[in-house]
Amino acid sequence: MVRRPAQPAARTLVAALDVGSSKVCALIAEPGPDGRLKILGTGQRESRGVKRGFIADMEKSEIAIRESMEQAERIAGTQVDQVFIGFSAGGMVSDMVDVEVGIGGGRIQDEDIDALLAKGWSSIEREGRQLLHALPAFYTIDEVNGVKQPRGLHAEKLAVNIHVITADPAPWKNLNLCVRSAHLGVEATVASPVAAGKACLSEEERELGVALVELGGGVTNVSVFAGGMLVGLKSLAIGGGDITDDIAAAFGTRRIEAERIKCFYGSAMTSPRDNHDMIELAPIAGGQEGVEASRITRAQLVAVIRQRLEHLTAQVEEALKQMGFGGAIGRQIVLTGGGAELKGIADYAQGVLGRTVRIGRPGMPGLPEAHSGPAFSTLAGLALFAASGEIDLRVGFGPKDSGEKPSGNWLQRLIAAFRTQY
């Protein structure tokens, strides 16, 4: 008989890896007896081989992955073989599968739940897509919805809602190949909105209805939660890196300089002093004889930022409309991701979208200050997801993300690191 997935054994360590368009970051944590995570080490490197969430340069991505994990391992004083990785691109689609079985008025046994979950697994249509998640959300007993643990209760019918997330297979395969090339095994691939939602949304927000907007470097993921689960998501090919590029193009400066002035002086909101505050920035040809630093007003900088934000918020609004985010559940939006660190962006979005907006930061005690901002919500959420032991039907009924186990791990990464130096 097909058995539902058993509860995983207690983990001694969890390792998370977030491969984004602007940065690659890693985290190693130890679950405590109270279920809370103790952060042992973190690592971060600039992402040079990822474009719009897609792997564009295998070698550069592999180096960044390996170095960020090695940094986390050095701080933690340990090595890891398996990681949970975040996935933020590749046409992710969220859907619900509803199945039921007859109980005939008897008490619900393990065998009944087994049969229900097996039926749910066989009902999932993949159509050539990669299955990221098949999460049993809530059970229904006769007419009673939202039952979390039906075992032992009497019922005529038992049903379950299974939350399914699929993605285009090629980007998923490329990401997994990159991680394995860094001599790490992939324990699970987690959709970025699932991870970020776990890190910065409260259980009550997910129940009542909330939209989560992750402003990444090259991708913005818009997801809607209701009834305690993710019910819709859309990926937009726009992010904070586009604002940086706009600044660099508008004022003839390098991207690194554009990013600096965006972080230090940029804002989504205007102020009376903007026309008086001057900003000095180095031109692209800075350092050459006869080329001097230029000066712009803060008002000019804010104007460029707001022009791109108008385009971004229009796309977010359209995505929310397509997902039916309105009425009673459409009143709150949470902004997270690196782009949410822009000054005044919550007030700007609230004014444009006409909804309550707050900034979502990872709710994980013990995170280093450098990794406690909204840019690290997905990373923290991956660790929380790994430690939660949530039942995923793929674990019991389907193949794992990767059939290959890493061999050598830290020794192979040490040899690879040595070779890249020479």
PDB file of all heavy atoms in Angstrom, residues 89-117:
ATOM      1  N   ALA A  89      12.273  32.225 -10.440  1.00  0.00           N
ATOM      2  CA  ALA A  89      11.977  32.513 -11.842  1.00  0.00           C
ATOM      3  C   ALA A  89      11.461  31.248 -12.522  1.00  0.00           C
ATOM      4  O   ALA A  89      11.300  30.209 -11.901  1.00  0.00           O
ATOM      5  CB  ALA A  89      13.232  33.027 -12.554  1.00  0.00           C
ATOM      6  N   GLY A  90      11.199  31.345 -13.798  1.00  0.00           N
ATOM      7  CA  GLY A  90      10.817  30.176 -14.559  1.00  0.00           C
ATOM      8  C   GLY A  90       9.327  29.928 -14.637  1.00  0.00           C
ATOM      9  O   GLY A  90       8.882  28.781 -14.650  1.00  0.00           O
ATOM     10  N   GLY A  91       8.541  30.974 -14.703  1.00  0.00           N
ATOM     11  CA  GLY A  91       7.113  30.820 -14.942  1.00  0.00           C
ATOM     12  C   GLY A  91       6.383  30.021 -13.890  1.00  0.00           C
ATOM     13  O   GLY A  91       5.639  29.087 -14.204  1.00  0.00           O
ATOM     14  N   MET A  92       6.585  30.357 -12.617  1.00  0.00           N
ATOM     15  CA  MET A  92       5.899  29.633 -11.543  1.00  0.00           C
ATOM     16  C   MET A  92       4.391  29.849 -11.610  1.00  0.00           C
ATOM     17  O   MET A  92       3.921  30.948 -11.869  1.00  0.00           O
ATOM     18  CB  MET A  92       6.423  30.078 -10.177  1.00  0.00           C
ATOM     19  CG  MET A  92       7.812  29.577  -9.850  1.00  0.00           C
ATOM     20  SD  MET A  92       8.297  29.967  -8.159  1.00  0.00           S
ATOM     21  CE  MET A  92       8.466  31.761  -8.249  1.00  0.00           C
ATOM     22  N   VAL A  93       3.649  28.778 -11.362  1.00  0.00           N
ATOM     23  CA  VAL A  93       2.189  28.816 -11.365  1.00  0.00           C
ATOM     24  C   VAL A  93       1.683  28.109 -10.121  1.00  0.00           C
ATOM     25  O   VAL A  93       2.157  27.029  -9.763  1.00  0.00           O
ATOM     26  CB  VAL A  93       1.604  28.134 -12.620  1.00  0.00           C
ATOM     27  CG1 VAL A  93       0.083  28.064 -12.537  1.00  0.00           C
ATOM     28  CG2 VAL A  93       2.037  28.876 -13.888  1.00  0.00           C
ATOM     29  N   SER A  94       0.732  28.738  -9.441  1.00  0.00           N
ATOM     30  CA  SER A  94       0.140  28.168  -8.236  1.00  0.00           C
ATOM     31  C   SER A  94      -1.266  27.678  -8.549  1.00  0.00           C
ATOM     32  O   SER A  94      -2.022  28.328  -9.269  1.00  0.00           O
ATOM     33  CB  SER A  94       0.086  29.224  -7.128  1.00  0.00           C
ATOM     34  OG  SER A  94      -0.586  28.731  -5.986  1.00  0.00           O
ATOM     35  N   ASP A  95      -1.618  26.514  -8.014  1.00  0.00           N
ATOM     36  CA  ASP A  95      -2.941  25.949  -8.265  1.00  0.00           C
ATOM     37  C   ASP A  95      -3.375  25.139  -7.053  1.00  0.00           C
ATOM     38  O   ASP A  95      -2.566  24.806  -6.177  1.00  0.00           O
ATOM     39  CB  ASP A  95      -2.903  25.055  -9.513  1.00  0.00           C
ATOM     40  CG  ASP A  95      -4.292  24.795 -10.093  1.00  0.00           C
ATOM     41  OD1 ASP A  95      -5.263  25.398  -9.593  1.00  0.00           O
ATOM     42  OD2 ASP A  95      -4.394  23.997 -11.031  1.00  0.00           O
ATOM     43  N   MET A  96      -4.660  24.820  -6.991  1.00  0.00           N
ATOM     44  CA  MET A  96      -5.208  24.006  -5.917  1.00  0.00           C
ATOM     45  C   MET A  96      -5.813  22.741  -6.506  1.00  0.00           C
ATOM     46  O   MET A  96      -6.487  22.786  -7.532  1.00  0.00           O
ATOM     47  CB  MET A  96      -6.276  24.762  -5.125  1.00  0.00           C
ATOM     48  CG  MET A  96      -5.772  25.990  -4.391  1.00  0.00           C
ATOM     49  SD  MET A  96      -4.550  25.608  -3.129  1.00  0.00           S
ATOM     50  CE  MET A  96      -5.510  24.528  -2.066  1.00  0.00           C
ATOM     51  N   VAL A  97      -5.562  21.603  -5.850  1.00  0.00           N
ATOM     52  CA  VAL A  97      -6.166  20.331  -6.229  1.00  0.00           C
ATOM     53  C   VAL A  97      -7.034  19.876  -5.064  1.00  0.00           C
ATOM     54  O   VAL A  97      -6.557  19.763  -3.934  1.00  0.00           O
ATOM     55  CB  VAL A  97      -5.090  19.269  -6.542  1.00  0.00           C
ATOM     56  CG1 VAL A  97      -5.733  17.910  -6.771  1.00  0.00           C
ATOM     57  CG2 VAL A  97      -4.282  19.689  -7.758  1.00  0.00           C
ATOM     58  N   ASP A  98      -8.312  19.643  -5.325  1.00  0.00           N
ATOM     59  CA  ASP A  98      -9.255  19.212  -4.291  1.00  0.00           C
ATOM     60  C   ASP A  98      -9.656  17.762  -4.558  1.00  0.00           C
ATOM     61  O   ASP A  98     -10.130  17.434  -5.652  1.00  0.00           O
ATOM     62  CB  ASP A  98     -10.507  20.098  -4.290  1.00  0.00           C
ATOM     63  CG  ASP A  98     -10.172  21.574  -4.085  1.00  0.00           C
ATOM     64  OD1 ASP A  98      -9.280  21.849  -3.269  1.00  0.00           O
ATOM     65  OD2 ASP A  98     -10.794  22.419  -4.741  1.00  0.00           O
ATOM     66  N   VAL A  99      -9.487  16.894  -3.562  1.00  0.00           N
ATOM     67  CA  VAL A  99      -9.889  15.486  -3.692  1.00  0.00           C
ATOM     68  C   VAL A  99     -10.605  15.059  -2.421  1.00  0.00           C
ATOM     69  O   VAL A  99     -10.419  15.653  -1.355  1.00  0.00           O
ATOM     70  CB  VAL A  99      -8.673  14.568  -3.942  1.00  0.00           C
ATOM     71  CG1 VAL A  99      -8.057  14.828  -5.295  1.00  0.00           C
ATOM     72  CG2 VAL A  99      -7.624  14.754  -2.847  1.00  0.00           C
ATOM     73  N   GLU A 100     -11.436  14.006  -2.530  1.00  0.00           N
ATOM     74  CA  GLU A 100     -12.140  13.493  -1.365  1.00  0.00           C
ATOM     75  C   GLU A 100     -12.319  11.986  -1.469  1.00  0.00           C
ATOM     76  O   GLU A 100     -12.269  11.409  -2.563  1.00  0.00           O
ATOM     77  CB  GLU A 100     -13.495  14.182  -1.188  1.00  0.00           C
ATOM     78  CG  GLU A 100     -14.550  13.814  -2.211  1.00  0.00           C
ATOM     79  CD  GLU A 100     -15.911  14.403  -1.871  1.00  0.00           C
ATOM     80  OE1 GLU A 100     -15.963  15.564  -1.413  1.00  0.00           O
ATOM     81  OE2 GLU A 100     -16.912  13.702  -2.084  1.00  0.00           O
ATOM     82  N   VAL A 101     -12.497  11.357  -0.306  1.00  0.00           N
ATOM     83  CA  VAL A 101     -12.780   9.923  -0.234  1.00  0.00           C
ATOM     84  C   VAL A 101     -13.933   9.716   0.745  1.00  0.00           C
ATOM     85  O   VAL A 101     -14.181  10.540   1.629  1.00  0.00           O
ATOM     86  CB  VAL A 101     -11.544   9.109   0.235  1.00  0.00           C
ATOM     87  CG1 VAL A 101     -10.436   9.165  -0.790  1.00  0.00           C
ATOM     88  CG2 VAL A 101     -11.054   9.595   1.590  1.00  0.00           C
ATOM     89  N   GLY A 102     -14.661   8.634   0.582  1.00  0.00           N
ATOM     90  CA  GLY A 102     -15.765   8.311   1.470  1.00  0.00           C
ATOM     91  C   GLY A 102     -15.299   7.569   2.710  1.00  0.00           C
ATOM     92  O   GLY A 102     -14.442   6.681   2.631  1.00  0.00           O
ATOM     93  N   ILE A 103     -15.852   7.923   3.863  1.00  0.00           N
ATOM     94  CA  ILE A 103     -15.504   7.287   5.129  1.00  0.00           C
ATOM     95  C   ILE A 103     -16.676   6.450   5.648  1.00  0.00           C
ATOM     96  O   ILE A 103     -16.496   5.484   6.378  1.00  0.00           O
ATOM     97  CB  ILE A 103     -15.098   8.336   6.191  1.00  0.00           C
ATOM     98  CG1 ILE A 103     -13.965   9.223   5.652  1.00  0.00           C
ATOM     99  CG2 ILE A 103     -14.653   7.671   7.490  1.00  0.00           C
ATOM    100  CD1 ILE A 103     -12.694   8.496   5.328  1.00  0.00           C
ATOM    101  N   GLY A 104     -17.917   6.827   5.265  1.00  0.00           N
ATOM    102  CA  GLY A 104     -19.095   6.064   5.657  1.00  0.00           C
ATOM    103  C   GLY A 104     -19.486   6.205   7.109  1.00  0.00           C
ATOM    104  O   GLY A 104     -20.085   5.282   7.679  1.00  0.00           O
ATOM    105  N   GLY A 105     -19.147   7.329   7.713  1.00  0.00           N
ATOM    106  CA  GLY A 105     -19.540   7.570   9.100  1.00  0.00           C
ATOM    107  C   GLY A 105     -18.594   7.015  10.131  1.00  0.00           C
ATOM    108  O   GLY A 105     -18.794   7.229  11.336  1.00  0.00           O
ATOM    109  N   GLY A 106     -17.567   6.296   9.716  1.00  0.00           N
ATOM    110  CA  GLY A 106     -16.616   5.725  10.669  1.00  0.00           C
ATOM    111  C   GLY A 106     -15.575   6.733  11.109  1.00  0.00           C
ATOM    112  O   GLY A 106     -15.567   7.894  10.697  1.00  0.00           O
ATOM    113  N   ARG A 107     -14.678   6.271  11.998  1.00  0.00           N
ATOM    114  CA  ARG A 107     -13.584   7.131  12.458  1.00  0.00           C
ATOM    115  C   ARG A 107     -12.466   7.150  11.412  1.00  0.00           C
ATOM    116  O   ARG A 107     -12.148   6.123  10.806  1.00  0.00           O
ATOM    117  CB  ARG A 107     -13.039   6.634  13.794  1.00  0.00           C
ATOM    118  CG  ARG A 107     -14.014   6.753  14.952  1.00  0.00           C
ATOM    119  CD  ARG A 107     -13.353   6.340  16.261  1.00  0.00           C
ATOM    120  NE  ARG A 107     -12.319   7.300  16.639  1.00  0.00           N
ATOM    121  CZ  ARG A 107     -11.486   7.116  17.670  1.00  0.00           C
ATOM    122  NH1 ARG A 107     -11.551   5.997  18.379  1.00  0.00           N
ATOM    123  NH2 ARG A 107     -10.593   8.025  17.977  1.00  0.00           N
ATOM    124  N   ILE A 108     -11.899   8.304  11.214  1.00  0.00           N
ATOM    125  CA  ILE A 108     -10.834   8.465  10.223  1.00  0.00           C
ATOM    126  C   ILE A 108      -9.550   7.844  10.749  1.00  0.00           C
ATOM    127  O   ILE A 108      -9.065   8.183  11.836  1.00  0.00           O
ATOM    128  CB  ILE A 108     -10.626   9.952   9.895  1.00  0.00           C
ATOM    129  CG1 ILE A 108     -11.906  10.555   9.293  1.00  0.00           C
ATOM    130  CG2 ILE A 108      -9.449  10.134   8.941  1.00  0.00           C
ATOM    131  CD1 ILE A 108     -11.874  12.058   9.146  1.00  0.00           C
ATOM    132  N   GLN A 109      -9.011   6.888   9.971  1.00  0.00           N
ATOM    133  CA  GLN A 109      -7.777   6.196  10.337  1.00  0.00           C
ATOM    134  C   GLN A 109      -6.632   6.667   9.441  1.00  0.00           C
ATOM    135  O   GLN A 109      -6.829   7.367   8.440  1.00  0.00           O
ATOM    136  CB  GLN A 109      -7.971   4.678  10.181  1.00  0.00           C
ATOM    137  CG  GLN A 109      -9.162   4.114  10.926  1.00  0.00           C
ATOM    138  CD  GLN A 109      -9.010   4.214  12.431  1.00  0.00           C
ATOM    139  OE1 GLN A 109      -7.903   4.114  12.958  1.00  0.00           O
ATOM    140  NE2 GLN A 109     -10.141   4.410  13.135  1.00  0.00           N
ATOM    141  N   ASP A 110      -5.413   6.247   9.813  1.00  0.00           N
ATOM    142  CA  ASP A 110      -4.246   6.572   8.991  1.00  0.00           C
ATOM    143  C   ASP A 110      -4.426   6.098   7.553  1.00  0.00           C
ATOM    144  O   ASP A 110      -4.042   6.775   6.602  1.00  0.00           O
ATOM    145  CB  ASP A 110      -2.992   5.922   9.581  1.00  0.00           C
ATOM    146  CG  ASP A 110      -2.446   6.680  10.783  1.00  0.00           C
ATOM    147  OD1 ASP A 110      -2.862   7.839  10.983  1.00  0.00           O
ATOM    148  OD2 ASP A 110      -1.619   6.113  11.506  1.00  0.00           O
ATOM    149  N   GLU A 111      -5.047   4.915   7.388  1.00  0.00           N
ATOM    150  CA  GLU A 111      -5.234   4.364   6.052  1.00  0.00           C
ATOM    151  C   GLU A 111      -6.132   5.255   5.196  1.00  0.00           C
ATOM    152  O   GLU A 111      -5.946   5.346   3.980  1.00  0.00           O
ATOM    153  CB  GLU A 111      -5.836   2.957   6.143  1.00  0.00           C
ATOM    154  CG  GLU A 111      -4.889   1.899   6.701  1.00  0.00           C
ATOM    155  CD  GLU A 111      -4.738   1.987   8.215  1.00  0.00           C
ATOM    156  OE1 GLU A 111      -5.525   2.740   8.855  1.00  0.00           O
ATOM    157  OE2 GLU A 111      -3.844   1.326   8.762  1.00  0.00           O
ATOM    158  N   ASP A 112      -7.118   5.901   5.831  1.00  0.00           N
ATOM    159  CA  ASP A 112      -7.999   6.806   5.087  1.00  0.00           C
ATOM    160  C   ASP A 112      -7.232   8.026   4.590  1.00  0.00           C
ATOM    161  O   ASP A 112      -7.423   8.484   3.457  1.00  0.00           O
ATOM    162  CB  ASP A 112      -9.171   7.249   5.972  1.00  0.00           C
ATOM    163  CG  ASP A 112     -10.022   6.076   6.444  1.00  0.00           C
ATOM    164  OD1 ASP A 112     -10.353   5.226   5.597  1.00  0.00           O
ATOM    165  OD2 ASP A 112     -10.330   6.027   7.640  1.00  0.00           O
ATOM    166  N   ILE A 113      -6.374   8.563   5.449  1.00  0.00           N
ATOM    167  CA  ILE A 113      -5.571   9.725   5.055  1.00  0.00           C
ATOM    168  C   ILE A 113      -4.568   9.317   3.980  1.00  0.00           C
ATOM    169  O   ILE A 113      -4.329  10.059   3.020  1.00  0.00           O
ATOM    170  CB  ILE A 113      -4.857  10.328   6.275  1.00  0.00           C
ATOM    171  CG1 ILE A 113      -5.889  10.780   7.314  1.00  0.00           C
ATOM    172  CG2 ILE A 113      -3.971  11.503   5.865  1.00  0.00           C
ATOM    173  CD1 ILE A 113      -5.295  11.301   8.604  1.00  0.00           C
ATOM    174  N   ASP A 114      -3.989   8.107   4.113  1.00  0.00           N
ATOM    175  CA  ASP A 114      -3.074   7.600   3.086  1.00  0.00           C
ATOM    176  C   ASP A 114      -3.754   7.566   1.718  1.00  0.00           C
ATOM    177  O   ASP A 114      -3.216   8.027   0.712  1.00  0.00           O
ATOM    178  CB  ASP A 114      -2.608   6.185   3.439  1.00  0.00           C
ATOM    179  CG  ASP A 114      -1.711   6.147   4.656  1.00  0.00           C
ATOM    180  OD1 ASP A 114      -1.204   7.208   5.040  1.00  0.00           O
ATOM    181  OD2 ASP A 114      -1.525   5.054   5.216  1.00  0.00           O
ATOM    182  N   ALA A 115      -4.964   6.981   1.704  1.00  0.00           N
ATOM    183  CA  ALA A 115      -5.694   6.849   0.444  1.00  0.00           C
ATOM    184  C   ALA A 115      -6.037   8.213  -0.142  1.00  0.00           C
ATOM    185  O   ALA A 115      -5.982   8.417  -1.358  1.00  0.00           O
ATOM    186  CB  ALA A 115      -6.963   6.022   0.672  1.00  0.00           C
ATOM    187  N   LEU A 116      -6.389   9.158   0.724  1.00  0.00           N
ATOM    188  CA  LEU A 116      -6.741  10.510   0.265  1.00  0.00           C
ATOM    189  C   LEU A 116      -5.541  11.199  -0.370  1.00  0.00           C
ATOM    190  O   LEU A 116      -5.631  11.778  -1.459  1.00  0.00           O
ATOM    191  CB  LEU A 116      -7.282  11.334   1.436  1.00  0.00           C
ATOM    192  CG  LEU A 116      -7.681  12.774   1.118  1.00  0.00           C
ATOM    193  CD1 LEU A 116      -8.918  12.798   0.231  1.00  0.00           C
ATOM    194  CD2 LEU A 116      -7.940  13.549   2.410  1.00  0.00           C
ATOM    195  N   LEU A 117      -4.386  11.130   0.311  1.00  0.00           N
ATOM    196  CA  LEU A 117      -3.189  11.803  -0.209  1.00  0.00           C
ATOM    197  C   LEU A 117      -2.686  11.124  -1.482  1.00  0.00           C
ATOM    198  O   LEU A 117      -2.207  11.795  -2.400  1.00  0.00           O
ATOM    199  CB  LEU A 117      -2.102  11.824   0.858  1.00  0.00           C
ATOM    200  CG  LEU A 117      -2.412  12.645   2.114  1.00  0.00           C
ATOM    201  CD1 LEU A 117      -1.243  12.590   3.097  1.00  0.00           C
ATOM    202  CD2 LEU A 117      -2.735  14.091   1.770  1.00  0.00           C
TER     203      LEU A 117
END
